[in-house]
Amino acid sequence: MAAPLPAAPGGSRGRRPRRPSGDDRERAILTTAEDLLGRRPLADISVDDLARGAGISRPTFYFYFPSKDAVVLALLDRVVGEARESRSAALRRAGDDVRASWRGALEAVRSTFAAHRALTSAAASLLATSAEVRALWAAIMDGFVEETAAAIEAERARGAAPAGPPARDLAVALNWMNERVIHVTYAGQTPALAEDDLIDVLLTVWLRTVYGSDIPGTAPA
Amino acid sequence: MAAPLPAAPGGSRGRRPRRPSGDDRERAILTTAEDLLGRRPLADISVDDLARGAGISRPTFYFYFPSKDAVVLALLDRVVGEARESRSAALRRAGDDVRASWRGALEAVRSTFAAHRALTSAAASLLATSAEVRALWAAIMDGFVEETAAAIEAERARGAAPAGPPARDLAVALNWMNERVIHVTYAGQTPALAEDDLIDVLLTVWLRTVYGSDIPGTAPA
DNA sequence: AGACTAATCGACACCGTGTCGAGTCGCTCG
DNA sequence: CGAGCGACTCGACACGGTGTCGATTAGTCT
């Protein structure tokens, strides 16, 4: 995971504070951020809050992170890796039960998001303002799309799925659908799905899109 | 110096009041906002920019709008109405060609978004911070979902569409998919679809979801 | 011990927001 | 006509947040 993590001055990441727990500070900032995000939206958290929470002064905060956003980015980086890995694993753990394999991929992403609702909301709000967050998000979505497209193509190749639009295009649509539906559902917005129905509904759309025909019955006279 | 945007609204009609009327000012603020949003993101536009663009001072701005967000909300309100209406019309203009009817609904939303990319991006960034914008957005999505669910149920009732998850649940997923895919595509983010393929891909997913079966072929031994 | 470096923070400059109070303008009514 | 009113305007200010600079301390390394 080589994302633009916060490095203080020089390029390489070598800072190893010996005595007074300098690296602890970084961790303290991170956990403070996670904690505060659970209580109020990112916009209502100032650098000062983060600093005080970590037991340091505001200027000192800037020794560790270039900005508030960078903290969220660092947090996000971890979670994104988690999601990616757990999803790939689920997809690889396919076996012969195709349906279970798709379900596993959906479930992997869902559970990761669910475990980090607060962070996810913060990320969503940065999506609009931070190019770095946008890049990170694009990267993970790209990975999902790539993987999904490959799976669709494999299914088409073995004759299980019908032809249609480019696999990648379907994958783009399906993965963004997931992103949004999962997000609104866990962020408590509307219109959303019930948390318990989430996976079933998404899975239905995925399966019908990948395997289903798109020829509607003609209208009755 | 500050050059007020639309100084003389036209008329060969004589004798406007020396001072431009309040309505003119309000309109000037709105058009300034629209104009500036075409050049830079909302976050880079200050109340002062809006005020100067409209030829008034910053405090005067607050006479017309309570905040920068309220301006975007006002703009958004118009566009949302437009989208809603044009989509309902398309859906009502159905006729017996079911496929064309679905396509029309998709196209209606697409073209409205496309005609107001800048505003849409601004709205997206406020989604995180403004409860009013969130409410407005939720309202329009709710309307879409309601309409979509009714259409799906009608198709099921006449035997054209198979049973499955509640129509409303499918409608939620499909409409959020549209929202997101259209947004990333027109905002130039990734992964996105080509603008020309947008409708075809979305339509495929919609049709397969509404009319298709979700039973994948079993894997070969 | 002297030198060097990571870490720390007080103080400051800056920017954007929102409000207050003191006006101005043009209209209407007695 | 001129007094009064309500719509409108803006200079000045208070506030809260950001990011930076320079001085200072505390440990580490010859």
Side-chain angles (χ1 to χ4, degrees), chain B residues 33-52:
Chain B
E34 218 161 10
D35 177 50
L36 290 184
L37 279 176
R39 306 174 188 287
R40 42 196 156 110
L42 178 63
D44 292 358
I45 298 174
S46 70
V47 170
D48 200 51
D49 294 332
L50 258 20
R52 297 194 107 76

Side-chain angles (χ1 to χ4, degrees), chain A residues 58-80:
Chain A
R58 207 167 53 77
T60 300
F61 167 93
Y62 287 102
F63 181 81
Y64 293 100
F65 292 95
S67 69
K68 188 173 67 175
D69 293 3
V71 177
V72 178
L73 191 64
L75 246 21
L76 195 61
D77 198 55
R78 284 207 311 236
V79 172
V80 155

